[in-house]
Amino acid sequence: MKKRVSPRHPASKAPLWAGALLALAVGMQGEALAAAVTEKLVIVQNGETIGTVTGTTDGKSVTVDYYVDDNGRGPKHKETLTIGAGDIPTSWTVAGTSLMGGGVNESFKWEAGQASWTSQADKGAAQSAKTPLYVVNDDSPWALGVYARALLKAPGNTLPLLPSGSMRLVKLSTPTLGTGKDAVPLTLYRIEGVQLSPDYVLLDKAGRLFATFGGHDLAIRQGYEKEVPVLQAMGAEAARTLARERQKALAHRYSQPVRIRNVHVFDPRTGTVGGLSTVIVLRDRVTAVLPADQDPVNGTAPDDQVIVDGQGGTLVPGLHDMHSHTTLDSGLFYLAAGVTDVRDMGNDNAFLQDLMPRIEAGELAGPRITPNGFLEGRSPYSARLGIIPETVADAVKAVDWYADRGYFQIKIYNSMTPDWVRPIADEAHKRGMTVTGHVPAFDTPDRVIKDGYSEVTHINQLMLGWLLKPGEDTRTPLRLTAMARAADLDLNSAPVQATMKLMVDGHIAHDPTAVILERLMLSRAGVTPPGDVDYLDNMPIGYQRYRKRTFVPLKSAADDQAYVQAFAKVLATLKLLHDKGIRLLPGTDDVTGFTVHRELELYTLAGISTAEALRLGTLSPEEYMGHPDLGTIGRGKLADLFLIAGNPVDDIRAIKRPRLVMKGGAVYYPSEIYQSLSIKPFADAPPVTVPAPSAGPGASLGVPGMFGGGHDDDLGD
């Protein structure tokens, strides 16, 4: 072995300063090696791991691997970042695939005062003396840790964003997760201003990401999976606290009658808008609908009533979303859009059982919820909702669990064993429930109808029965991408007509969710989707950019055209179903309310009359579910309604701009709601006069505009 010689030893031929430099270089190299840290988070849904986020930090360089497999879907991509001053990235790239397999190739770079970026949604450049905080379009939970660390160093914990908007960090609490030597002191923050819902992040004392939840999937540091229930409870309480604060500020409750003057009333039974009227509401009931010239106090201002000047607009019964998956944040979005009732088509059972009474009591904002019980089969593609029975006997017991809690229907999902459908349906029928759902993999619409379905969910689930080849697996994204084949579908063919006959003879209803198919089939990178043009510019920047993407793989112009032609066939199928007298139940598979408007608009584009589309969105769902107090505006009816400026029969797009919404005895002004959610309002609130005798606790809530006036002259929706 060669003898090692110290640089300071007389035998050393190198000068002392050279040795010092060598030592420094070796030390720096060691520090760099020591600084390389790999962190891994697991993504958990309904108690099961569905993905991972792995980040490796080496000095200022970071690489991130993101993988999600949720019911056959999920993003899979790699990120590279360089962190600069103020913990703000000077470069950020993302490459891989997004939710439905569409390609992702995103990049951002800031150098010498020039920022540039390219994403699925957009591309651009901007001058900036300092590095701007770029919001990634195809991000991962890791990005939330990046944002939080940058915001912690910013004045007021707020930063302007590129491409636009701003982001704010709010400190909430300092919990500790884990026990003993594994205990980790943490700080919980809320990030808001970018997406429809806030995100929550937990950072440790070193500023490293421990967990995320909220708008993103729940992700937690590997090795701490047992803390997921604690994390879920923490997230639920943080979100509930915010929701309670918003409800307290935004729900206006009056002890006096609310007299809505100078309005027309849409009657879905006749499909007409009546003459000028006055509608009087006391708490949650309509007490009178009077022709304007018969209003005994018309022209005066009663000193014991709240007066709303409808300014010649139209009152419409509350809209219904027949395919919702309720979230804590969805309530205000629905109400602002005039959606006062939803059918929940599958959820975390404990969450929904906790949420519903809170909404009914007025503690939290939200529409009335009619719950369906979700049953899924066990497979590698299983959705993590509701109940996943291991045996057919377990499935029957699950039906009873839902029946005992008053659920309206049983909903069956993709991985259910086809032979279990009949016993599930038999038990549901015994318990007074009907059955709806997807067509399970390797099953057909015709068979599930014969086995006991009274309704088929999603128009693609129906049409795939005419498009798929034997053995093709709809538990994968094929159940969506195979819809391109509909371009060549003959609606007069024997298979189509056989299914139609089964539906007509069996009085089988259909929940199309055509709006989601439109989003899938017609969304293109960098372009505002056709269903989003009336509202997208008003939304937070993160949501705007998310919508401007391609959700399906497009290998050629022919693929593009196939999806366009196939969606035209979707609309033609809607019209065929309606013409045959099959009940359509407008649903969205979304939670914003904006898609409820578009779903009804799509029916009119399919050739269904505007008046009929409005009936399908208001009265028809209430008739279907046996709610006689809802669906029309009349004396004694529940006052679930909304005010718009125009006539919806003349232009169905008028329903996209509610000015006032009533539900459950509370009055909401959408302009206030949207401002509280970082959304630019679409219409102003109507003039409201609150009598002096109402002064007292909460009286200040009687005047719209507490979030900045509630008046905006941009009617962009």
Side-chain angles (χ1 to χ4, degrees), residues 559-576:
D559 288 347
D560 188 315
Q561 190 61 24
Y563 279 113
V564 172
Q565 294 174 351
F567 188 71
K569 198 61 61 74
V570 168
L571 295 183
T573 304
L574 275 175
K575 184 64 162 58
L576 177 62

Side-chain angles (χ1 to χ4, degrees), residues 47-119:
E48 300 186 25
T49 297
I50 63 168
T52 57
V53 184
T54 305
T56 299
T57 302
D58 188 353
K60 297 296 184 181
S61 299
V62 184
T63 60
V64 182
D65 287 303
Y66 182 38
Y67 178 91
V68 175
D69 187 352
D70 179 17
N71 191 25
R73 299 168 294 182
K76 300 166 182 63
H77 57 66
K78 184 172 183 176
E79 303 173 47
T80 59
L81 302 82
T82 302
I83 306 299
D87 279 342
I88 298 176
T90 57
S91 68
W92 201 330
T93 65
V94 186
T97 57
S98 60
L99 176 70
M100 299 305 303
V104 173
N105 189 13
E106 182 173 2
S107 65
F108 160 78
K109 186 175 183 179
W110 177 86
E111 188 174 31
Q114 179 76 17
S116 60
W117 72 93
T118 300
S119 76

Side-chain angles (χ1 to χ4, degrees), residues 314-590:
T314 303
L315 283 182
V316 182
L319 299 173
H320 202 125
D321 187 345
M322 289 295 282
H323 195 123
S324 172
H325 296 280
T326 310
T327 70
L328 191 60
D329 298 314
S330 66
L332 285 173
F333 283 100
Y334 272 131
L335 292 175
V339 180
T340 58
D341 298 80
V342 300
R343 178 176 61 167
D344 189 288
M345 292 292 277
N347 219 309
D348 178 279
N349 291 328
F351 164 77
L352 199 62
Q353 287 294 307
D354 177 76
L355 179 67
M356 289 174 61
R358 294 178 187 271
I359 291 177
E360 291 166 5
E363 175 190 345
L364 300 176
R368 302 177 193 274
I369 298 173
T370 299
N372 273 8
F374 191 93
L375 286 183
E376 168 69 308
R378 174 67 65 183
S379 85
Y381 303 99
S382 296
R384 278 76 173 182
L385 289 176
I387 298 174
I388 306 177
E390 300 295 338
T391 67
V392 67
D394 290 339
V396 170
K397 290 179 182 177
V399 171
D400 292 333
W401 189 93
Y402 286 123
D404 291 346
R405 288 157 180 80
Y407 281 65
F408 176 63
Q409 289 174 306
I410 294 298
K411 179 187 175 183
I412 292 174
Y413 206 60
N414 296 321
S415 292
M416 181 58 66
T417 303
D419 289 344
W420 293 11
V421 172
R422 185 180 291 276
I424 289 171
D426 288 346
E427 185 65 16
H429 296 156
K430 288 178 186 176
R431 297 300 308 269
M433 294 189 292
T434 56
V435 177
T436 183
H438 288 206
V439 175
F442 315 114
D443 210 334
T444 67
D446 293 10
R447 181 182 172 185
V448 297
I449 290 170
K450 293 173 183 177
D451 282 345
Y453 274 37
S454 61
E455 179 188 333
V456 177
T457 293
H458 300 304
I459 198 164
N460 61 307
Q461 291 286 321
L462 182 65
M463 296 177 70
L464 287 173
W466 316 320
L467 299 173
L468 291 178
K469 302 170 186 175
E472 289 189 306
D473 191 347
T474 55
R475 295 173 299 179
T476 71
L478 181 69
R479 67 181 180 274
L480 303 170
T481 57
M483 286 300 295
R485 304 175 190 175
D488 300 319
L489 178 65
D490 179 5
L491 294 180
N492 292 314
S493 65
V496 174
Q497 293 303 314
T499 303
M500 292 290 170
K501 186 176 188 305
L502 277 175
M503 296 181 76
V504 171
D505 292 348
H507 304 286
I508 306 302
H510 181 54
D511 160 25
T513 64
V515 66
I516 294 302
L517 268 293
E518 180 187 41
R519 279 187 167 179
L520 169 79
M521 300 167 75
L522 301 188
S523 293
R524 299 294 182 266
V527 178
T528 300
D532 297 343
V533 294
D534 287 335
Y535 75 91
L536 195 61
D537 287 348
N538 293 47
M539 305 300 285
I541 185 61
Y543 184 80
Q544 286 187 41
R545 301 179 78 215
Y546 181 77
R547 292 257 49 89
K548 297 177 183 179
R549 65 177 60 216
T550 302
F551 282 93
V552 291
L554 294 177
K555 298 178 181 179
S556 66
D559 288 347
D560 188 315
Q561 190 61 24
Y563 279 113
V564 172
Q565 294 174 351
F567 188 71
K569 198 61 61 74
V570 168
L571 295 183
T573 304
L574 275 175
K575 184 64 162 58
L576 177 62
L577 289 162
H578 183 262
D579 289 349
K580 288 187 173 293
I582 293 167
R583 184 191 289 267
L584 299 179
L585 301 167
T588 69
D589 211 6
D590 189 48

